[in-house]
Amino acid sequence: MPGSSAPRSRPRPRRRQQYAVAALVCAALTVPLSLSTANAAPEASAGKKPTKPQAAAPRWKLLHSEDFAKPLDPGHTPWKKETYDHPFDTIMEDNGQWYHNDYGDDWDAAFNSFDTYRKDFKVGEDGWLTASLSARDADKDGTIENEPTITNGTEAGRSVAEMKVPNLTGGAIFRPTKALPDRYRVEYHLKTINFGGKRGGTIDYDDKINGYTKDGCKTQHPWGEGSNSPGWEGDASAPYCEWQDVREGPYGYNGFHYLGIVDFADPAPRNNHFWHYRRKVLMDGFYVHPDRAATGGGGRVCDPATNTYLDYKDSNFNTVNMWINGLPNWTPGKGGLAGNSQWFMTSCSGGAAENQLSSAAELQPELMPNQDYTFAIERDATGYTLEATGNFARGGKRTLRFHRDFVVNNVPIWHYNVKASEYDGAYNNTLVQNDNNGSASWPDQWPKGSAYPDYFVIGDLYTNVYEGDASVTDIKLYVPK
């Protein structure tokens, strides 16, 4: 989630509700997911009991499928040190200019105090999937501490890929090796998840705090929320432990990307702020610490059985957010961050995307792996459909399915066009930074003639937040029949 640009001495404010967008919606279904029912889901509005979908011939055909029965990384791909010779951009990439312009030379020293290592290996038929990992060598002695892994495993009698990130400085994701087709459906099963949230009514379990181990410090160093944000003094020369704490306090949170679509090729784990400028649509878990929830930092949570909201602090903290990225703030101001607006869809809003942090449901990790959750995203000629199926707290067994057109009421999904012909340049602008230690501008952030092919991501994308483990199975890619 994006950081705040509020003064350091003030608590993070609750976001105001804005009812600005209407969207074409498919209501929460109360039937188990199948490919045919997913394709036949009816439109409905909040508060109305959805009609049971009629049987329909599937309109998708399977292109790729991976069940993780075969050994992962049989060649034992070596780790390679990241040199940043070919950074993705100069904005909020790990070594991005934005951080230097905010924090100054002290940030450069903090960034250069450790080394980052990466590993990618192909998975599945013809290598259609890629597993991508990132790790940190904290003292630059050539040895990775707390190495993240993606390995084979078994859960409830099924083959799975086990994604383990033992420290927040690592990351582990799945992505497609090639760009997705113009029209597609991608889906998978999440078998287990241990990246925070409550178990048995508490975040303190398995000798961890909200999924984080209790040893040492856990902070966002060196990619803080911005020098003018709360939770620390905004001084990049501060030692690691004095940066914003992710294990507790006003920036305490853990999380996981259930399934998202991003706007560039070969996505790999990077700092959390980079991703707030690169996503198109996302379903994620945002498991905040009670300190953050107490100030409204978790937003609100929809009860899909009654279509009424409750405060995050009254939830089980295992939320499912279903949302789109909108346009960014083109001039964030000193000590702020470059990040896009966020629009959340729930059955409580009738599926309309609203510019207020709102979770669509709550997972029940205690039921896993005997019960699991299915996540899917579709792209068609008009927009994206986000879908989550499983046994949700309060809601019970159901499918939550919401469609969002590419543009609604002049609010576009960020970089939605996978072809230049799908977009006329209407939302092009210049990103401007005038900060404490430098200024810069990045023109043509969405020009006419541009194109942003889709890539999906599953896992822990952040290399300065998130810690835990999860297992997934049955990643499938469909194309129109």
Side-chain angles (χ1 to χ4, degrees), residues 94-396:
D94 284 354
N95 63 339
Q97 185 179 350
W98 195 280
Y99 305 108
H100 174 87
N101 287 347
D102 183 1
Y103 300 115
D105 293 341
D106 288 333
W107 184 85
D108 298 344
F111 173 73
N112 290 317
S113 66
F114 60 88
D115 287 332
T116 294
Y117 283 77
R118 302 195 186 280
K119 177 194 288 194
D120 292 347
F121 58 87
K122 299 295 190 295
V123 178
E125 178 186 12
D126 299 325
W128 77 278
L129 280 175
T130 293
S132 183
L133 300 104
S134 177
R136 190 179 296 188
D137 174 9
D139 54 11
K140 306 181 73 168
D141 66 352
T143 301
I144 295 171
E145 299 87 6
N146 302 302
E147 180 178 317
T149 58
I150 298 180
T151 56
N152 297 93
T154 303
E155 293 286 354
R158 296 289 303 277
S159 298
V160 298
E162 296 180 335
M163 312 172 75
K164 296 182 179 180
V165 183
N167 191 279
L168 78 164
T169 56
I173 69 170
F174 281 109
R175 70 176 191 237
T177 302
K178 298 180 180 178
L180 295 171
D182 298 349
R183 311 285 183 264
Y184 60 81
R185 174 184 169 91
V186 58
E187 71 174 40
Y188 80 101
H189 288 82
L190 180 70
K191 296 297 288 183
T192 60
I193 181 78
N194 291 291
F195 272 86
K198 289 183 178 180
R199 304 294 186 276
T202 177
I203 65 163
D204 194 343
Y205 60 92
D206 293 342
D207 199 31
K208 297 180 179 180
I209 300 174
N210 201 28
Y212 291 103
T213 58
K214 295 181 178 180
D215 58 300
C217 305
K218 305 282 184 180
T219 75
Q220 288 198 33
H221 176 280
W223 299 287
E225 294 283 342
S227 62
N228 195 37
S229 57
W232 72 314
E233 294 302 315
D235 180 4
S237 68
Y240 177 92
C241 289
E242 293 181 17
W243 288 61
Q244 284 144 327
D245 195 336
V246 303
R247 193 164 45 194
E248 56 190 354
Y251 276 92
Y253 73 108
N254 210 336
F256 188 81
H257 284 61
Y258 303 127
L259 183 60
I261 303 297
V262 300
D263 66 357
F264 69 103
D266 304 327
R270 289 174 167 87
N271 77 84
N272 62 327
H273 307 304
F274 169 87
W275 291 106
H276 288 99
Y277 198 63
R278 299 265 64 102
R279 296 179 291 218
K280 300 188 182 190
V281 300
L282 176 63
M283 292 181 286
D284 72 333
F286 185 46
Y287 322 128
V288 310
H289 188 276
D291 290 347
R292 186 166 185 167
T295 63
R300 59 188 185 176
V301 179
C302 178
D303 177 349
T306 63
N307 287 335
T308 58
Y309 286 113
L310 58 141
D311 194 277
Y312 187 100
K313 62 181 173 56
D314 299 318
S315 74
N316 72 0
F317 288 37
N318 295 288
T319 54
V320 178
N321 299 320
M322 306 174 73
W323 54 285
I324 68 161
N325 252 12
L327 291 172
N329 178 354
W330 298 109
T331 56
K334 291 184 177 181
L337 294 167
N340 293 59
S341 59
Q342 300 177 353
W343 301 76
F344 296 83
M345 297 176 289
T346 72
S347 60
C348 291
S349 70
E354 297 179 337
N355 189 209
Q356 179 177 0
L357 176 54
S358 307
S359 299
E362 304 155 80
L363 299 185
Q364 299 187 83
E366 296 91 341
L367 302 179
M368 304 167 86
N370 294 319
Q371 297 188 45
D372 53 36
Y373 294 86
T374 303
F375 294 94
I377 292 178
E378 299 171 9
R379 187 185 193 275
D380 61 21
T382 63
Y384 292 91
T385 299
L386 279 61
E387 183 181 285
T389 297
N391 191 344
F392 299 104
R394 283 170 255 274

Side-chain angles (χ1 to χ4, degrees), residues 5-22:
S5 60
R8 292 191 294 272
S9 60
R10 297 169 57 188
R12 186 177 183 178
R14 180 193 290 261
R15 299 182 184 177
R16 291 190 304 170
Q17 185 174 4
Q18 298 182 38
Y19 295 96
V21 177

Side-chain angles (χ1 to χ4, degrees), residues 81-95:
K81 187 165 74 171
E82 174 64 82
T83 63
Y84 296 102
D85 290 338
H86 304 286
F88 173 75
D89 64 25
T90 61
I91 306 172
M92 302 193 77
E93 167 70 285
D94 284 354
N95 63 339

Side-chain angles (χ1 to χ4, degrees), residues 443-467:
D444 290 328
Q445 291 298 291
W446 197 355
K448 182 179 181 179
S450 62
Y452 306 90
D454 284 2
Y455 287 78
F456 69 77
V457 290
I458 301 169
D460 174 4
L461 280 74
Y462 296 170
T463 54
N464 60 326
V465 189
Y466 294 2
E467 180 178 307

